[in-house]
PDB file of all heavy atoms in Angstrom:
ATOM      1  N   CYS A  49     179.220 110.949 115.949  1.00 92.00           N
ATOM      2  CA  CYS A  49     179.228 109.825 117.020  1.00 92.00           C
ATOM      3  C   CYS A  49     177.692 109.407 117.036  1.00 92.00           C
ATOM      4  O   CYS A  49     176.828 110.274 116.819  1.00 92.00           O
ATOM      5  CB  CYS A  49     179.799 110.284 118.327  1.00 92.00           C
ATOM      6  SG  CYS A  49     181.586 110.391 118.369  1.00 92.00           S
ATOM      7  N   PHE A  50     177.607 108.201 117.426  1.00 92.00           N
ATOM      8  CA  PHE A  50     176.230 107.633 117.612  1.00 92.00           C
ATOM      9  C   PHE A  50     176.129 106.941 119.030  1.00 92.00           C
ATOM     10  O   PHE A  50     176.969 106.240 119.355  1.00 92.00           O
ATOM     11  CB  PHE A  50     175.944 106.596 116.599  1.00 92.00           C
ATOM     12  CG  PHE A  50     174.590 106.029 116.501  1.00 92.00           C
ATOM     13  CD1 PHE A  50     173.565 106.961 115.826  1.00 92.00           C
ATOM     14  CD2 PHE A  50     174.268 104.840 116.788  1.00 92.00           C
ATOM     15  CE1 PHE A  50     172.361 106.370 115.870  1.00 92.00           C
ATOM     16  CE2 PHE A  50     173.064 104.281 116.766  1.00 92.00           C
ATOM     17  CZ  PHE A  50     172.151 104.993 116.247  1.00 92.00           C
ATOM     18  N   ILE A  51     175.172 107.379 119.814  1.00 94.00           N
ATOM     19  CA  ILE A  51     174.907 106.914 121.050  1.00 94.00           C
ATOM     20  C   ILE A  51     173.535 105.968 121.241  1.00 94.00           C
ATOM     21  O   ILE A  51     172.580 106.494 120.682  1.00 94.00           O
ATOM     22  CB  ILE A  51     174.955 107.933 122.264  1.00 94.00           C
ATOM     23  CG1 ILE A  51     176.167 108.589 122.334  1.00 94.00           C
ATOM     24  CG2 ILE A  51     174.396 107.412 123.502  1.00 94.00           C
ATOM     25  CD1 ILE A  51     176.162 109.928 123.213  1.00 94.00           C
ATOM     26  N   LEU A  52     173.796 104.901 121.875  1.00 93.00           N
ATOM     27  CA  LEU A  52     172.433 104.147 122.274  1.00 93.00           C
ATOM     28  C   LEU A  52     172.439 103.964 123.766  1.00 93.00           C
ATOM     29  O   LEU A  52     173.539 103.596 124.331  1.00 93.00           O
ATOM     30  CB  LEU A  52     172.534 102.719 121.622  1.00 93.00           C
ATOM     31  CG  LEU A  52     172.262 102.653 120.109  1.00 93.00           C
ATOM     32  CD1 LEU A  52     172.443 101.194 119.644  1.00 93.00           C
ATOM     33  CD2 LEU A  52     170.850 103.253 119.717  1.00 93.00           C
ATOM     34  N   ALA A  53     171.404 104.691 124.379  1.00 93.00           N
ATOM     35  CA  ALA A  53     171.222 104.570 125.832  1.00 93.00           C
ATOM     36  C   ALA A  53     170.098 103.676 126.187  1.00 93.00           C
ATOM     37  O   ALA A  53     168.909 103.973 125.798  1.00 93.00           O
ATOM     38  CB  ALA A  53     171.039 106.010 126.393  1.00 93.00           C
ATOM     39  N   HIS A  54     170.318 102.498 126.801  1.00 91.00           N
ATOM     40  CA  HIS A  54     169.304 101.665 127.324  1.00 91.00           C
ATOM     41  C   HIS A  54     169.099 101.756 128.839  1.00 91.00           C
ATOM     42  O   HIS A  54     169.945 102.084 129.598  1.00 91.00           O
ATOM     43  CB  HIS A  54     169.733 100.241 127.104  1.00 91.00           C
ATOM     44  CG  HIS A  54     168.734  99.249 127.523  1.00 91.00           C
ATOM     45  ND1 HIS A  54     167.689  98.786 126.764  1.00 91.00           N
ATOM     46  CD2 HIS A  54     168.704  98.453 128.594  1.00 91.00           C
ATOM     47  CE1 HIS A  54     167.011  97.895 127.443  1.00 91.00           C
ATOM     48  NE2 HIS A  54     167.593  97.681 128.561  1.00 91.00           N
ATOM     49  N   PHE A  55     167.773 101.792 129.290  1.00 90.00           N
ATOM     50  CA  PHE A  55     167.550 101.880 130.693  1.00 90.00           C
ATOM     51  C   PHE A  55     166.709 100.736 131.072  1.00 90.00           C
ATOM     52  O   PHE A  55     165.858 100.176 130.381  1.00 90.00           O
ATOM     53  CB  PHE A  55     166.861 103.132 130.910  1.00 90.00           C
ATOM     54  CG  PHE A  55     165.424 103.207 130.434  1.00 90.00           C
ATOM     55  CD1 PHE A  55     164.376 102.910 131.141  1.00 90.00           C
ATOM     56  CD2 PHE A  55     165.248 103.771 129.068  1.00 90.00           C
ATOM     57  CE1 PHE A  55     163.167 103.060 130.691  1.00 90.00           C
ATOM     58  CE2 PHE A  55     163.916 103.891 128.626  1.00 90.00           C
ATOM     59  CZ  PHE A  55     162.839 103.472 129.274  1.00 90.00           C
ATOM     60  N   GLY A  56     166.758 100.332 132.363  1.00 84.00           N
ATOM     61  CA  GLY A  56     165.930  99.376 133.099  1.00 84.00           C
ATOM     62  C   GLY A  56     166.104  99.717 134.506  1.00 84.00           C
ATOM     63  O   GLY A  56     166.894 100.441 134.947  1.00 84.00           O
ATOM     64  N   HIS A  57     165.212  99.000 135.344  1.00 79.00           N
ATOM     65  CA  HIS A  57     165.242  99.195 136.859  1.00 79.00           C
ATOM     66  C   HIS A  57     166.197  98.143 137.402  1.00 79.00           C
ATOM     67  O   HIS A  57     166.335  97.047 136.825  1.00 79.00           O
ATOM     68  CB  HIS A  57     163.842  98.963 137.359  1.00 79.00           C
ATOM     69  CG  HIS A  57     163.012 100.273 137.362  1.00 79.00           C
ATOM     70  ND1 HIS A  57     162.037 100.407 136.302  1.00 79.00           N
ATOM     71  CD2 HIS A  57     163.026 101.494 137.984  1.00 79.00           C
ATOM     72  CE1 HIS A  57     161.543 101.595 136.437  1.00 79.00           C
ATOM     73  NE2 HIS A  57     162.101 102.312 137.435  1.00 79.00           N
TER      74      HIS A  57
END
Side-chain angles (χ1 to χ4, degrees):
C49 286
F50 189 72
I51 294 176
L52 287 174
H54 177 84
F55 67 92
H57 279 101

